mmCIF file with all atom_site columns, all heavy atoms in Angstrom:
data_model
loop_
_atom_site.group_PDB
_atom_site.id
_atom_site.type_symbol
_atom_site.label_atom_id
_atom_site.label_alt_id
_atom_site.label_comp_id
_atom_site.label_asym_id
_atom_site.label_entity_id
_atom_site.label_seq_id
_atom_site.pdbx_PDB_ins_code
_atom_site.Cartn_x
_atom_site.Cartn_y
_atom_site.Cartn_z
_atom_site.occupancy
_atom_site.B_iso_or_equiv
_atom_site.pdbx_formal_charge
_atom_site.auth_seq_id
_atom_site.auth_comp_id
_atom_site.auth_asym_id
_atom_site.auth_atom_id
_atom_site.pdbx_PDB_model_num
ATOM 1   N N   . HIS A 1 1  ? 31.680 74.038 -46.036 1.00 0.00 ? 1  HIS A N   1
ATOM 2   C CA  . HIS A 1 1  ? 33.065 74.518 -46.140 1.00 0.00 ? 1  HIS A CA  1
ATOM 3   C C   . HIS A 1 1  ? 33.592 75.002 -44.783 1.00 0.00 ? 1  HIS A C   1
ATOM 4   O O   . HIS A 1 1  ? 34.772 74.816 -44.472 1.00 0.00 ? 1  HIS A O   1
ATOM 5   C CB  . HIS A 1 1  ? 33.157 75.634 -47.177 1.00 0.00 ? 1  HIS A CB  1
ATOM 6   C CG  . HIS A 1 1  ? 33.259 75.153 -48.594 1.00 0.00 ? 1  HIS A CG  1
ATOM 7   N ND1 . HIS A 1 1  ? 34.378 74.510 -49.072 1.00 0.00 ? 1  HIS A ND1 1
ATOM 8   C CD2 . HIS A 1 1  ? 32.386 75.209 -49.633 1.00 0.00 ? 1  HIS A CD2 1
ATOM 9   C CE1 . HIS A 1 1  ? 34.205 74.202 -50.343 1.00 0.00 ? 1  HIS A CE1 1
ATOM 10  N NE2 . HIS A 1 1  ? 32.996 74.611 -50.711 1.00 0.00 ? 1  HIS A NE2 1
ATOM 11  N N   . ILE A 1 2  ? 32.720 75.621 -43.980 1.00 0.00 ? 2  ILE A N   1
ATOM 12  C CA  . ILE A 1 2  ? 33.150 76.058 -42.643 1.00 0.00 ? 2  ILE A CA  1
ATOM 13  C C   . ILE A 1 2  ? 33.499 74.848 -41.785 1.00 0.00 ? 2  ILE A C   1
ATOM 14  O O   . ILE A 1 2  ? 34.525 74.819 -41.096 1.00 0.00 ? 2  ILE A O   1
ATOM 15  C CB  . ILE A 1 2  ? 32.060 76.914 -41.981 1.00 0.00 ? 2  ILE A CB  1
ATOM 16  C CG1 . ILE A 1 2  ? 31.967 78.278 -42.673 1.00 0.00 ? 2  ILE A CG1 1
ATOM 17  C CG2 . ILE A 1 2  ? 32.348 77.104 -40.488 1.00 0.00 ? 2  ILE A CG2 1
ATOM 18  C CD1 . ILE A 1 2  ? 30.833 79.147 -42.194 1.00 0.00 ? 2  ILE A CD1 1
ATOM 19  N N   . SER A 1 3  ? 32.635 73.828 -41.840 1.00 0.00 ? 3  SER A N   1
ATOM 20  C CA  . SER A 1 3  ? 32.910 72.600 -41.068 1.00 0.00 ? 3  SER A CA  1
ATOM 21  C C   . SER A 1 3  ? 34.179 71.924 -41.572 1.00 0.00 ? 3  SER A C   1
ATOM 22  O O   . SER A 1 3  ? 34.971 71.390 -40.784 1.00 0.00 ? 3  SER A O   1
ATOM 23  C CB  . SER A 1 3  ? 31.716 71.637 -41.177 1.00 0.00 ? 3  SER A CB  1
ATOM 24  O OG  . SER A 1 3  ? 30.574 72.185 -40.569 1.00 0.00 ? 3  SER A OG  1
ATOM 25  N N   . LEU A 1 4  ? 34.380 71.953 -42.884 1.00 0.00 ? 4  LEU A N   1
ATOM 26  C CA  . LEU A 1 4  ? 35.592 71.361 -43.451 1.00 0.00 ? 4  LEU A CA  1
ATOM 27  C C   . LEU A 1 4  ? 36.829 72.121 -42.974 1.00 0.00 ? 4  LEU A C   1
ATOM 28  O O   . LEU A 1 4  ? 37.863 71.512 -42.648 1.00 0.00 ? 4  LEU A O   1
ATOM 29  C CB  . LEU A 1 4  ? 35.505 71.392 -44.978 1.00 0.00 ? 4  LEU A CB  1
ATOM 30  C CG  . LEU A 1 4  ? 36.621 70.699 -45.762 1.00 0.00 ? 4  LEU A CG  1
ATOM 31  C CD1 . LEU A 1 4  ? 36.770 69.236 -45.339 1.00 0.00 ? 4  LEU A CD1 1
ATOM 32  C CD2 . LEU A 1 4  ? 36.344 70.796 -47.260 1.00 0.00 ? 4  LEU A CD2 1
ATOM 33  N N   . ALA A 1 5  ? 36.729 73.447 -42.889 1.00 0.00 ? 5  ALA A N   1
ATOM 34  C CA  . ALA A 1 5  ? 37.841 74.256 -42.380 1.00 0.00 ? 5  ALA A CA  1
ATOM 35  C C   . ALA A 1 5  ? 38.170 73.869 -40.944 1.00 0.00 ? 5  ALA A C   1
ATOM 36  O O   . ALA A 1 5  ? 39.345 73.769 -40.564 1.00 0.00 ? 5  ALA A O   1
ATOM 37  C CB  . ALA A 1 5  ? 37.484 75.740 -42.460 1.00 0.00 ? 5  ALA A CB  1
ATOM 38  N N   . LEU A 1 6  ? 37.126 73.647 -40.139 1.00 0.00 ? 6  LEU A N   1
ATOM 39  C CA  . LEU A 1 6  ? 37.339 73.228 -38.748 1.00 0.00 ? 6  LEU A CA  1
ATOM 40  C C   . LEU A 1 6  ? 37.994 71.861 -38.675 1.00 0.00 ? 6  LEU A C   1
ATOM 41  O O   . LEU A 1 6  ? 38.863 71.608 -37.828 1.00 0.00 ? 6  LEU A O   1
ATOM 42  C CB  . LEU A 1 6  ? 35.998 73.221 -38.002 1.00 0.00 ? 6  LEU A CB  1
ATOM 43  C CG  . LEU A 1 6  ? 35.341 74.591 -37.788 1.00 0.00 ? 6  LEU A CG  1
ATOM 44  C CD1 . LEU A 1 6  ? 33.920 74.417 -37.257 1.00 0.00 ? 6  LEU A CD1 1
ATOM 45  C CD2 . LEU A 1 6  ? 36.165 75.430 -36.820 1.00 0.00 ? 6  LEU A CD2 1
ATOM 46  N N   . ALA A 1 7  ? 37.581 70.962 -39.572 1.00 0.00 ? 7  ALA A N   1
ATOM 47  C CA  . ALA A 1 7  ? 38.181 69.624 -39.593 1.00 0.00 ? 7  ALA A CA  1
ATOM 48  C C   . ALA A 1 7  ? 39.661 69.701 -39.963 1.00 0.00 ? 7  ALA A C   1
ATOM 49  O O   . ALA A 1 7  ? 40.517 69.068 -39.325 1.00 0.00 ? 7  ALA A O   1
ATOM 50  C CB  . ALA A 1 7  ? 37.430 68.736 -40.585 1.00 0.00 ? 7  ALA A CB  1
ATOM 51  N N   . TYR A 1 8  ? 39.975 70.492 -40.989 1.00 0.00 ? 8  TYR A N   1
ATOM 52  C CA  . TYR A 1 8  ? 41.379 70.655 -41.382 1.00 0.00 ? 8  TYR A CA  1
ATOM 53  C C   . TYR A 1 8  ? 42.192 71.265 -40.242 1.00 0.00 ? 8  TYR A C   1
ATOM 54  O O   . TYR A 1 8  ? 43.338 70.872 -39.999 1.00 0.00 ? 8  TYR A O   1
ATOM 55  C CB  . TYR A 1 8  ? 41.472 71.565 -42.611 1.00 0.00 ? 8  TYR A CB  1
ATOM 56  C CG  . TYR A 1 8  ? 41.060 70.915 -43.918 1.00 0.00 ? 8  TYR A CG  1
ATOM 57  C CD1 . TYR A 1 8  ? 40.350 71.637 -44.881 1.00 0.00 ? 8  TYR A CD1 1
ATOM 58  C CD2 . TYR A 1 8  ? 41.403 69.590 -44.200 1.00 0.00 ? 8  TYR A CD2 1
ATOM 59  C CE1 . TYR A 1 8  ? 39.985 71.047 -46.088 1.00 0.00 ? 8  TYR A CE1 1
ATOM 60  C CE2 . TYR A 1 8  ? 41.037 68.997 -45.406 1.00 0.00 ? 8  TYR A CE2 1
ATOM 61  C CZ  . TYR A 1 8  ? 40.330 69.736 -46.344 1.00 0.00 ? 8  TYR A CZ  1
ATOM 62  O OH  . TYR A 1 8  ? 39.976 69.154 -47.539 1.00 0.00 ? 8  TYR A OH  1
ATOM 63  N N   . ASP A 1 9  ? 41.607 72.217 -39.554 1.00 0.00 ? 9  ASP A N   1
ATOM 64  C CA  . ASP A 1 9  ? 42.302 72.841 -38.425 1.00 0.00 ? 9  ASP A CA  1
ATOM 65  C C   . ASP A 1 9  ? 42.594 71.802 -37.349 1.00 0.00 ? 9  ASP A C   1
ATOM 66  O O   . ASP A 1 9  ? 43.680 71.779 -36.759 1.00 0.00 ? 9  ASP A O   1
ATOM 67  C CB  . ASP A 1 9  ? 41.441 73.978 -37.865 1.00 0.00 ? 9  ASP A CB  1
ATOM 68  C CG  . ASP A 1 9  ? 42.204 74.837 -36.862 1.00 0.00 ? 9  ASP A CG  1
ATOM 69  O OD1 . ASP A 1 9  ? 43.440 74.915 -36.963 1.00 0.00 ? 9  ASP A OD1 1
ATOM 70  O OD2 . ASP A 1 9  ? 41.566 75.417 -35.970 1.00 0.00 ? 9  ASP A OD2 1
ATOM 71  N N   . GLY A 1 10 ? 41.609 70.939 -37.099 1.00 0.00 ? 10 GLY A N   1
ATOM 72  C CA  . GLY A 1 10 ? 41.807 69.877 -36.101 1.00 0.00 ? 10 GLY A CA  1
ATOM 73  C C   . GLY A 1 10 ? 42.885 68.898 -36.494 1.00 0.00 ? 10 GLY A C   1
ATOM 74  O O   . GLY A 1 10 ? 43.507 68.260 -35.632 1.00 0.00 ? 10 GLY A O   1
ATOM 75  N N   . LEU A 1 11 ? 43.129 68.775 -37.795 1.00 0.00 ? 11 LEU A N   1
ATOM 76  C CA  . LEU A 1 11 ? 44.176 67.871 -38.290 1.00 0.00 ? 11 LEU A CA  1
ATOM 77  C C   . LEU A 1 11 ? 45.524 68.580 -38.412 1.00 0.00 ? 11 LEU A C   1
ATOM 78  O O   . LEU A 1 11 ? 46.506 67.973 -38.850 1.00 0.00 ? 11 LEU A O   1
ATOM 79  C CB  . LEU A 1 11 ? 43.765 67.319 -39.667 1.00 0.00 ? 11 LEU A CB  1
ATOM 80  C CG  . LEU A 1 11 ? 42.577 66.350 -39.672 1.00 0.00 ? 11 LEU A CG  1
ATOM 81  C CD1 . LEU A 1 11 ? 42.075 66.120 -41.093 1.00 0.00 ? 11 LEU A CD1 1
ATOM 82  C CD2 . LEU A 1 11 ? 42.972 65.018 -39.027 1.00 0.00 ? 11 LEU A CD2 1
ATOM 83  N N   . GLY A 1 12 ? 45.551 69.871 -38.056 1.00 0.00 ? 12 GLY A N   1
ATOM 84  C CA  . GLY A 1 12 ? 46.791 70.629 -38.173 1.00 0.00 ? 12 GLY A CA  1
ATOM 85  C C   . GLY A 1 12 ? 47.107 71.055 -39.590 1.00 0.00 ? 12 GLY A C   1
ATOM 86  O O   . GLY A 1 12 ? 48.226 71.492 -39.877 1.00 0.00 ? 12 GLY A O   1
ATOM 87  N N   . MET A 1 13 ? 46.117 70.959 -40.485 1.00 0.00 ? 13 MET A N   1
ATOM 88  C CA  . MET A 1 13 ? 46.318 71.319 -41.891 1.00 0.00 ? 13 MET A CA  1
ATOM 89  C C   . MET A 1 13 ? 45.897 72.781 -42.072 1.00 0.00 ? 13 MET A C   1
ATOM 90  O O   . MET A 1 13 ? 44.841 73.096 -42.613 1.00 0.00 ? 13 MET A O   1
ATOM 91  C CB  . MET A 1 13 ? 45.528 70.372 -42.804 1.00 0.00 ? 13 MET A CB  1
ATOM 92  C CG  . MET A 1 13 ? 45.907 68.905 -42.593 1.00 0.00 ? 13 MET A CG  1
ATOM 93  S SD  . MET A 1 13 ? 44.788 67.726 -43.385 1.00 0.00 ? 13 MET A SD  1
ATOM 94  C CE  . MET A 1 13 ? 45.221 67.947 -45.099 1.00 0.00 ? 13 MET A CE  1
ATOM 95  N N   . LYS A 1 14 ? 46.731 73.686 -41.576 1.00 0.00 ? 14 LYS A N   1
ATOM 96  C CA  . LYS A 1 14 ? 46.381 75.103 -41.512 1.00 0.00 ? 14 LYS A CA  1
ATOM 97  C C   . LYS A 1 14 ? 46.150 75.712 -42.895 1.00 0.00 ? 14 LYS A C   1
ATOM 98  O O   . LYS A 1 14 ? 45.235 76.517 -43.082 1.00 0.00 ? 14 LYS A O   1
ATOM 99  C CB  . LYS A 1 14 ? 47.481 75.883 -40.788 1.00 0.00 ? 14 LYS A CB  1
ATOM 100 C CG  . LYS A 1 14 ? 47.812 75.364 -39.393 1.00 0.00 ? 14 LYS A CG  1
ATOM 101 C CD  . LYS A 1 14 ? 46.612 75.492 -38.468 1.00 0.00 ? 14 LYS A CD  1
ATOM 102 C CE  . LYS A 1 14 ? 46.979 75.054 -37.051 1.00 0.00 ? 14 LYS A CE  1
ATOM 103 N NZ  . LYS A 1 14 ? 45.814 75.074 -36.152 1.00 0.00 ? 14 LYS A NZ  1
ATOM 104 N N   . ASN A 1 15 ? 46.979 75.336 -43.854 1.00 0.00 ? 15 ASN A N   1
ATOM 105 C CA  . ASN A 1 15 ? 46.841 75.918 -45.186 1.00 0.00 ? 15 ASN A CA  1
ATOM 106 C C   . ASN A 1 15 ? 45.495 75.550 -45.802 1.00 0.00 ? 15 ASN A C   1
ATOM 107 O O   . ASN A 1 15 ? 44.807 76.390 -46.381 1.00 0.00 ? 15 ASN A O   1
ATOM 108 C CB  . ASN A 1 15 ? 47.987 75.446 -46.084 1.00 0.00 ? 15 ASN A CB  1
ATOM 109 C CG  . ASN A 1 15 ? 47.998 76.177 -47.414 1.00 0.00 ? 15 ASN A CG  1
ATOM 110 O OD1 . ASN A 1 15 ? 47.814 77.385 -47.470 1.00 0.00 ? 15 ASN A OD1 1
ATOM 111 N ND2 . ASN A 1 15 ? 48.190 75.442 -48.503 1.00 0.00 ? 15 ASN A ND2 1
ATOM 112 N N   . ARG A 1 16 ? 45.106 74.279 -45.663 1.00 0.00 ? 16 ARG A N   1
ATOM 113 C CA  . ARG A 1 16 ? 43.816 73.848 -46.213 1.00 0.00 ? 16 ARG A CA  1
ATOM 114 C C   . ARG A 1 16 ? 42.649 74.503 -45.468 1.00 0.00 ? 16 ARG A C   1
ATOM 115 O O   . ARG A 1 16 ? 41.622 74.822 -46.068 1.00 0.00 ? 16 ARG A O   1
ATOM 116 C CB  . ARG A 1 16 ? 43.694 72.319 -46.131 1.00 0.00 ? 16 ARG A CB  1
ATOM 117 C CG  . ARG A 1 16 ? 44.530 71.593 -47.153 1.00 0.00 ? 16 ARG A CG  1
ATOM 118 C CD  . ARG A 1 16 ? 44.058 70.164 -47.313 1.00 0.00 ? 16 ARG A CD  1
ATOM 119 N NE  . ARG A 1 16 ? 44.805 69.464 -48.335 1.00 0.00 ? 16 ARG A NE  1
ATOM 120 C CZ  . ARG A 1 16 ? 44.505 68.243 -48.768 1.00 0.00 ? 16 ARG A CZ  1
ATOM 121 N NH1 . ARG A 1 16 ? 43.489 67.580 -48.222 1.00 0.00 ? 16 ARG A NH1 1
ATOM 122 N NH2 . ARG A 1 16 ? 45.211 67.667 -49.716 1.00 0.00 ? 16 ARG A NH2 1
ATOM 123 N N   . SER A 1 17 ? 42.838 74.689 -44.185 1.00 0.00 ? 17 SER A N   1
ATOM 124 C CA  . SER A 1 17 ? 41.796 75.360 -43.406 1.00 0.00 ? 17 SER A CA  1
ATOM 125 C C   . SER A 1 17 ? 41.608 76.792 -43.911 1.00 0.00 ? 17 SER A C   1
ATOM 126 O O   . SER A 1 17 ? 40.477 77.265 -44.109 1.00 0.00 ? 17 SER A O   1
ATOM 127 C CB  . SER A 1 17 ? 42.166 75.367 -41.926 1.00 0.00 ? 17 SER A CB  1
ATOM 128 O OG  . SER A 1 17 ? 41.137 75.941 -41.148 1.00 0.00 ? 17 SER A OG  1
ATOM 129 N N   . ARG A 1 18 ? 42.713 77.479 -44.137 1.00 0.00 ? 18 ARG A N   1
ATOM 130 C CA  . ARG A 1 18 ? 42.635 78.852 -44.656 1.00 0.00 ? 18 ARG A CA  1
ATOM 131 C C   . ARG A 1 18 ? 41.957 78.876 -46.025 1.00 0.00 ? 18 ARG A C   1
ATOM 132 O O   . ARG A 1 18 ? 41.140 79.749 -46.310 1.00 0.00 ? 18 ARG A O   1
ATOM 133 C CB  . ARG A 1 18 ? 44.034 79.478 -44.755 1.00 0.00 ? 18 ARG A CB  1
ATOM 134 C CG  . ARG A 1 18 ? 44.694 79.739 -43.406 1.00 0.00 ? 18 ARG A CG  1
ATOM 135 C CD  . ARG A 1 18 ? 45.857 80.721 -43.566 1.00 0.00 ? 18 ARG A CD  1
ATOM 136 N NE  . ARG A 1 18 ? 46.841 80.290 -44.540 1.00 0.00 ? 18 ARG A NE  1
ATOM 137 C CZ  . ARG A 1 18 ? 47.880 79.508 -44.285 1.00 0.00 ? 18 ARG A CZ  1
ATOM 138 N NH1 . ARG A 1 18 ? 48.075 79.058 -43.053 1.00 0.00 ? 18 ARG A NH1 1
ATOM 139 N NH2 . ARG A 1 18 ? 48.735 79.179 -45.232 1.00 0.00 ? 18 ARG A NH2 1
ATOM 140 N N   . GLN A 1 19 ? 42.282 77.895 -46.869 1.00 0.00 ? 19 GLN A N   1
ATOM 141 C CA  . GLN A 1 19 ? 41.686 77.841 -48.201 1.00 0.00 ? 19 GLN A CA  1
ATOM 142 C C   . GLN A 1 19 ? 40.175 77.636 -48.117 1.00 0.00 ? 19 GLN A C   1
ATOM 143 O O   . GLN A 1 19 ? 39.413 78.221 -48.897 1.00 0.00 ? 19 GLN A O   1
ATOM 144 C CB  . GLN A 1 19 ? 42.325 76.714 -49.016 1.00 0.00 ? 19 GLN A CB  1
ATOM 145 C CG  . GLN A 1 19 ? 43.763 76.998 -49.440 1.00 0.00 ? 19 GLN A CG  1
ATOM 146 C CD  . GLN A 1 19 ? 44.423 75.805 -50.114 1.00 0.00 ? 19 GLN A CD  1
ATOM 147 O OE1 . GLN A 1 19 ? 43.839 74.718 -50.197 1.00 0.00 ? 19 GLN A OE1 1
ATOM 148 N NE2 . GLN A 1 19 ? 45.650 76.000 -50.589 1.00 0.00 ? 19 GLN A NE2 1
ATOM 149 N N   . ALA A 1 20 ? 39.744 76.810 -47.168 1.00 0.00 ? 20 ALA A N   1
ATOM 150 C CA  . ALA A 1 20 ? 38.306 76.551 -47.011 1.00 0.00 ? 20 ALA A CA  1
ATOM 151 C C   . ALA A 1 20 ? 37.571 77.821 -46.589 1.00 0.00 ? 20 ALA A C   1
ATOM 152 O O   . ALA A 1 20 ? 36.486 78.128 -47.100 1.00 0.00 ? 20 ALA A O   1
ATOM 153 C CB  . ALA A 1 20 ? 38.076 75.436 -45.998 1.00 0.00 ? 20 ALA A CB  1
ATOM 154 N N   . TYR A 1 21 ? 38.160 78.575 -45.654 1.00 0.00 ? 21 TYR A N   1
ATOM 155 C CA  . TYR A 1 21 ? 37.534 79.835 -45.234 1.00 0.00 ? 21 TYR A CA  1
ATOM 156 C C   . TYR A 1 21 ? 37.531 80.848 -46.382 1.00 0.00 ? 21 TYR A C   1
ATOM 157 O O   . TYR A 1 21 ? 36.570 81.615 -46.541 1.00 0.00 ? 21 TYR A O   1
ATOM 158 C CB  . TYR A 1 21 ? 38.260 80.418 -44.027 1.00 0.00 ? 21 TYR A CB  1
ATOM 159 C CG  . TYR A 1 21 ? 37.955 79.707 -42.734 1.00 0.00 ? 21 TYR A CG  1
ATOM 160 C CD1 . TYR A 1 21 ? 38.981 79.228 -41.928 1.00 0.00 ? 21 TYR A CD1 1
ATOM 161 C CD2 . TYR A 1 21 ? 36.636 79.524 -42.324 1.00 0.00 ? 21 TYR A CD2 1
ATOM 162 C CE1 . TYR A 1 21 ? 38.709 78.576 -40.733 1.00 0.00 ? 21 TYR A CE1 1
ATOM 163 C CE2 . TYR A 1 21 ? 36.350 78.863 -41.134 1.00 0.00 ? 21 TYR A CE2 1
ATOM 164 C CZ  . TYR A 1 21 ? 37.395 78.392 -40.342 1.00 0.00 ? 21 TYR A CZ  1
ATOM 165 O OH  . TYR A 1 21 ? 37.109 77.753 -39.162 1.00 0.00 ? 21 TYR A OH  1
ATOM 166 N N   . THR A 1 22 ? 38.592 80.855 -47.182 1.00 0.00 ? 22 THR A N   1
ATOM 167 C CA  . THR A 1 22 ? 38.645 81.753 -48.337 1.00 0.00 ? 22 THR A CA  1
ATOM 168 C C   . THR A 1 22 ? 37.540 81.408 -49.332 1.00 0.00 ? 22 THR A C   1
ATOM 169 O O   . THR A 1 22 ? 36.920 82.303 -49.923 1.00 0.00 ? 22 THR A O   1
ATOM 170 C CB  . THR A 1 22 ? 40.023 81.657 -49.022 1.00 0.00 ? 22 THR A CB  1
ATOM 171 O OG1 . THR A 1 22 ? 41.044 81.997 -48.074 1.00 0.00 ? 22 THR A OG1 1
ATOM 172 C CG2 . THR A 1 22 ? 40.114 82.601 -50.213 1.00 0.00 ? 22 THR A CG2 1
ATOM 173 N N   . THR A 1 23 ? 37.276 80.116 -49.496 1.00 0.00 ? 23 THR A N   1
ATOM 174 C CA  . THR A 1 23 ? 36.177 79.678 -50.364 1.00 0.00 ? 23 THR A CA  1
ATOM 175 C C   . THR A 1 23 ? 34.844 80.180 -49.846 1.00 0.00 ? 23 THR A C   1
ATOM 176 O O   . THR A 1 23 ? 33.990 80.639 -50.614 1.00 0.00 ? 23 THR A O   1
ATOM 177 C CB  . THR A 1 23 ? 36.150 78.143 -50.471 1.00 0.00 ? 23 THR A CB  1
ATOM 178 O OG1 . THR A 1 23 ? 37.390 77.682 -51.017 1.00 0.00 ? 23 THR A OG1 1
ATOM 179 C CG2 . THR A 1 23 ? 34.998 77.671 -51.353 1.00 0.00 ? 23 THR A CG2 1
ATOM 180 N N   . VAL A 1 24 ? 34.663 80.118 -48.540 1.00 0.00 ? 24 VAL A N   1
ATOM 181 C CA  . VAL A 1 24 ? 33.419 80.624 -47.938 1.00 0.00 ? 24 VAL A CA  1
ATOM 182 C C   . VAL A 1 24 ? 33.238 82.106 -48.264 1.00 0.00 ? 24 VAL A C   1
ATOM 183 O O   . VAL A 1 24 ? 32.146 82.537 -48.661 1.00 0.00 ? 24 VAL A O   1
ATOM 184 C CB  . VAL A 1 24 ? 33.427 80.421 -46.407 1.00 0.00 ? 24 VAL A CB  1
ATOM 185 C CG1 . VAL A 1 24 ? 32.226 81.133 -45.772 1.00 0.00 ? 24 VAL A CG1 1
ATOM 186 C CG2 . VAL A 1 24 ? 33.387 78.947 -46.062 1.00 0.00 ? 24 VAL A CG2 1
ATOM 187 N N   . LEU A 1 25 ? 34.297 82.888 -48.111 1.00 0.00 ? 25 LEU A N   1
ATOM 188 C CA  . LEU A 1 25 ? 34.204 84.324 -48.364 1.00 0.00 ? 25 LEU A CA  1
ATOM 189 C C   . LEU A 1 25 ? 34.022 84.627 -49.844 1.00 0.00 ? 25 LEU A C   1
ATOM 190 O O   . LEU A 1 25 ? 33.483 85.678 -50.198 1.00 0.00 ? 25 LEU A O   1
ATOM 191 C CB  . LEU A 1 25 ? 35.448 85.033 -47.823 1.00 0.00 ? 25 LEU A CB  1
ATOM 192 C CG  . LEU A 1 25 ? 35.546 85.036 -46.295 1.00 0.00 ? 25 LEU A CG  1
ATOM 193 C CD1 . LEU A 1 25 ? 36.886 85.590 -45.839 1.00 0.00 ? 25 LEU A CD1 1
ATOM 194 C CD2 . LEU A 1 25 ? 34.403 85.830 -45.677 1.00 0.00 ? 25 LEU A CD2 1
ATOM 195 N N   . ARG A 1 26 ? 34.432 83.710 -50.697 1.00 0.00 ? 26 ARG A N   1
ATOM 196 C CA  . ARG A 1 26 ? 34.173 83.879 -52.123 1.00 0.00 ? 26 ARG A CA  1
ATOM 197 C C   . ARG A 1 26 ? 32.688 83.637 -52.411 1.00 0.00 ? 26 ARG A C   1
ATOM 198 O O   . ARG A 1 26 ? 32.093 84.292 -53.266 1.00 0.00 ? 26 ARG A O   1
ATOM 199 C CB  . ARG A 1 26 ? 35.033 82.899 -52.921 1.00 0.00 ? 26 ARG A CB  1
ATOM 200 C CG  . ARG A 1 26 ? 35.204 83.277 -54.379 1.00 0.00 ? 26 ARG A CG  1
ATOM 201 C CD  . ARG A 1 26 ? 36.404 82.629 -55.032 1.00 0.00 ? 26 ARG A CD  1
ATOM 202 N NE  . ARG A 1 26 ? 36.438 81.186 -54.850 1.00 0.00 ? 26 ARG A NE  1
ATOM 203 C CZ  . ARG A 1 26 ? 37.422 80.534 -54.244 1.00 0.00 ? 26 ARG A CZ  1
ATOM 204 N NH1 . ARG A 1 26 ? 38.444 81.200 -53.743 1.00 0.00 ? 26 ARG A NH1 1
ATOM 205 N NH2 . ARG A 1 26 ? 37.381 79.230 -54.118 1.00 0.00 ? 26 ARG A NH2 1
ATOM 206 N N   . LEU A 1 27 ? 32.093 82.714 -51.668 1.00 0.00 ? 27 LEU A N   1
ATOM 207 C CA  . LEU A 1 27 ? 30.663 82.419 -51.830 1.00 0.00 ? 27 LEU A CA  1
ATOM 208 C C   . LEU A 1 27 ? 29.788 83.436 -51.113 1.00 0.00 ? 27 LEU A C   1
ATOM 209 O O   . LEU A 1 27 ? 28.674 83.738 -51.544 1.00 0.00 ? 27 LEU A O   1
ATOM 210 C CB  . LEU A 1 27 ? 30.357 81.013 -51.282 1.00 0.00 ? 27 LEU A CB  1
ATOM 211 C CG  . LEU A 1 27 ? 31.031 79.842 -51.999 1.00 0.00 ? 27 LEU A CG  1
ATOM 212 C CD1 . LEU A 1 27 ? 30.844 78.554 -51.193 1.00 0.00 ? 27 LEU A CD1 1
ATOM 213 C CD2 . LEU A 1 27 ? 30.460 79.670 -53.406 1.00 0.00 ? 27 LEU A CD2 1
ATOM 214 N N   . ASP A 1 28 ? 30.292 83.944 -49.987 1.00 0.00 ? 28 ASP A N   1
ATOM 215 C CA  . ASP A 1 28 ? 29.529 84.899 -49.177 1.00 0.00 ? 28 ASP A CA  1
ATOM 216 C C   . ASP A 1 28 ? 30.510 85.902 -48.574 1.00 0.00 ? 28 ASP A C   1
ATOM 217 O O   . ASP A 1 28 ? 31.103 85.657 -47.528 1.00 0.00 ? 28 ASP A O   1
ATOM 218 C CB  . ASP A 1 28 ? 28.760 84.154 -48.069 1.00 0.00 ? 28 ASP A CB  1
ATOM 219 C CG  . ASP A 1 28 ? 28.024 85.093 -47.135 1.00 0.00 ? 28 ASP A CG  1
ATOM 220 O OD1 . ASP A 1 28 ? 27.923 86.304 -47.452 1.00 0.00 ? 28 ASP A OD1 1
ATOM 221 O OD2 . ASP A 1 28 ? 27.544 84.642 -46.074 1.00 0.00 ? 28 ASP A OD2 1
ATOM 222 N N   . ALA A 1 29 ? 30.647 87.043 -49.258 1.00 0.00 ? 29 ALA A N   1
ATOM 223 C CA  . ALA A 1 29 ? 31.659 88.033 -48.859 1.00 0.00 ? 29 ALA A CA  1
ATOM 224 C C   . ALA A 1 29 ? 31.386 88.641 -47.489 1.00 0.00 ? 29 ALA A C   1
ATOM 225 O O   . ALA A 1 29 ? 32.276 89.259 -46.902 1.00 0.00 ? 29 ALA A O   1
ATOM 226 C CB  . ALA A 1 29 ? 31.734 89.141 -49.912 1.00 0.00 ? 29 ALA A CB  1
ATOM 227 N N   . HIS A 1 30 ? 30.181 88.474 -46.963 1.00 0.00 ? 30 HIS A N   1
ATOM 228 C CA  . HIS A 1 30 ? 29.827 89.075 -45.673 1.00 0.00 ? 30 HIS A CA  1
ATOM 229 C C   . HIS A 1 30 ? 29.697 88.029 -44.555 1.00 0.00 ? 30 HIS A C   1
ATOM 230 O O   . HIS A 1 30 ? 29.060 88.297 -43.542 1.00 0.00 ? 30 HIS A O   1
ATOM 231 C CB  . HIS A 1 30 ? 28.517 89.850 -45.808 1.00 0.00 ? 30 HIS A CB  1
ATOM 232 C CG  . HIS A 1 30 ? 28.574 90.940 -46.828 1.00 0.00 ? 30 HIS A CG  1
ATOM 233 N ND1 . HIS A 1 30 ? 29.321 92.089 -46.655 1.00 0.00 ? 30 HIS A ND1 1
ATOM 234 C CD2 . HIS A 1 30 ? 28.021 91.045 -48.059 1.00 0.00 ? 30 HIS A CD2 1
ATOM 235 C CE1 . HIS A 1 30 ? 29.198 92.858 -47.720 1.00 0.00 ? 30 HIS A CE1 1
ATOM 236 N NE2 . HIS A 1 30 ? 28.423 92.252 -48.588 1.00 0.00 ? 30 HIS A NE2 1
#
C-alpha cells in the first residue's frame, strides 16, 4: 500500500495516494 501510494503520487493522483496511506494507518496505526 505504501508503494501504491508512491505510484499514485507519481501519477498526480493525490486523493488516491492519501487513501492508500490512510489504509496503511488503518492496518498499522503506528
Side-chain angles (χ1 to χ4, degrees):
H1 278 291
I2 289 174
S3 295
L4 186 56
L6 293 170
Y8 285 142
D9 191 27
L11 291 167
M13 303 168 72
K14 305 297 184 184
N15 188 43
R16 285 198 177 187
S17 183
R18 292 197 304 272
Q19 289 174 355
Y21 285 127
T22 302
T23 300
V24 172
L25 291 173
R26 199 159 52 240
L27 296 170
D28 176 11
H30 301 290

